[in-house]
Amino acid sequence: MAPEGAPALVLAVPGTPSGATRGLADEIVSIARSELPGIDARIGYLDGDDEEFLSLSTTLVRAAEERTARYEQARAAGLEVKEPEGPVAVVVPLLAGPDGALLRRIRQAVMDSRIAAELTDVLGPHPLLAEALHVRLSEAGLARADRARLFTVATAADGIILASVGGDEAVQAAGITGMLLAARLAVPVMAAALDQEGSIASVAEQLRSSGSHQLALAPYLIGPEIDAALLEEAAKEADCSSAEPLGPYPAIGKLTLAKYTTALGISPQQPQGTPVR
């Protein structure tokens, strides 16, 4: 159970809000709630501006208002309660890797709210993200689901382009998860930046020149942070098939909660991976 009076977990969702984005964010928050019952988990959209898609700043303000209201109601009922202390919320960016531009906007939104909130790091790099990438590739028929099994996948790639967003810093961070993915698949994995012209094509050329002929694009993205059209263009540029973004894979919810609990010094069970079948 979440400690009584614990700060809210606020998932900071980048990208243009949509029904699909809301569904994805709801699933991730639901996973966090199932892992830590009683947690006050909310969603704040970086580009939200109405009641359907609350902005990050508005979400933080409402969390603070409701926290104060609960305290005042308890006092009015004659209960002995301590005045709330510490941060109102812990903000977790819904980003697999560092994206300087988006993180600056998230940080500015927190500052604009004038609410005491703690901002965590992004979700990766982490072994669970390598697992999620493996699952998405296997779902697309681009990787074996289990190295221990003897059957092969005719369309399995022999080289993976790990597509990130956020420039050089994001590529370097993705490269760490890429090494973990390479160990799982026993094929070379190289990171590239979707937002740097020529990066995808350059990495595709490097992989092919080193002996990989059947490439696959693995988006190192949750989904909302980039226009899906960019992924399609990148796959065409590399002349290869693409897996789906990470989306609401269970590990994303678990890592979101882990960022929250680490920020508060809570030590729940560490998130574990699921064998790929």
Side-chain angles (χ1 to χ4, degrees):
M1 287 291 293
E4 186 175 351
L9 185 164
V10 177
L11 187 66
V13 181
T16 303
S18 66
T21 299
R22 182 177 57 227
L24 184 153
D26 283 342
E27 283 195 57
I28 291 170
V29 164
S30 178
I31 293 167
R33 288 180 180 137
S34 67
E35 295 283 326
L36 187 63
I39 189 174
D40 177 11
R42 303 168 182 245
I43 301 167
Y45 297 89
L46 195 54
D47 292 308
D49 61 359
D50 56 31
E51 285 299 315
E52 185 178 8
F53 301 106
L54 288 182
S55 70
L56 177 55
S57 293
T58 299
T59 300
L60 290 170
V61 169
R62 291 196 179 179
E65 290 173 346
E66 291 173 22
R67 185 191 202 191
T68 300
R70 287 193 299 269
Y71 168 71
E72 291 177 348
Q73 288 170 2
R75 288 289 300 273
L79 300 177
E80 292 186 8
V81 291
K82 292 183 179 180
E83 190 169 350
E85 298 178 353
V88 169
V90 173
V91 178
V92 182
L94 188 60
L95 294 168
D99 185 321
L102 287 176
L103 287 172
R104 280 192 294 274
R105 290 188 59 205
I106 292 172
R107 193 173 294 111
Q108 187 62 51
V110 173
M111 292 174 62
D112 289 345
S113 74
R114 300 183 181 276
I115 299 301
E118 184 167 342
L119 179 62
T120 74
D121 290 332
V122 296
L123 303 181
H126 196 280
L128 285 180
L129 294 181
E131 172 194 295
L133 289 162
H134 184 178
V135 169
R136 292 296 183 241
L137 285 164
S138 65
E139 288 172 346
L142 300 171
R144 295 179 182 84
D146 189 341
R147 283 182 60 193
R149 300 188 184 189
L150 298 178
F151 70 85
T152 61
V153 177
T155 57
D158 58 5
I160 306 294
I161 303 169
L162 199 56
S164 63
V165 177
D168 291 337
E169 184 183 7
V171 169
Q172 291 175 11
I176 298 172
T177 300
M179 288 188 291
L180 300 172
L181 180 61
R184 295 178 70 98
L185 300 178
V187 301
V189 177
M190 293 184 66
L194 287 162
D195 51 352
Q196 285 188 340
E197 188 175 354
S199 179
I200 296 291
S202 175
V203 166
E205 184 178 349
Q206 289 180 60
L207 284 168
R208 288 192 171 100
S209 65
S210 63
S212 297
H213 301 292
Q214 193 155 305
L215 305 184
L217 191 74
Y220 189 56
L221 308 162
I222 311 298
E225 63 270 49
I226 193 170
D227 187 335
L230 286 179
L231 283 175
E232 295 176 9
E233 292 173 10
K236 290 178 181 178
E237 187 178 357
D239 191 22
C240 67
S241 298
S242 175
E244 292 294 319
L246 300 174
Y249 187 72
I252 304 301
K254 293 178 180 180
L255 288 174
T256 297
L257 181 61
K259 291 296 180 183
Y260 170 85
T261 55
T262 298
L264 297 181
I266 304 172
S267 300
Q269 183 177 351
Q270 289 300 308
Q272 300 295 320
T274 302
V276 181
R277 299 296 182 190

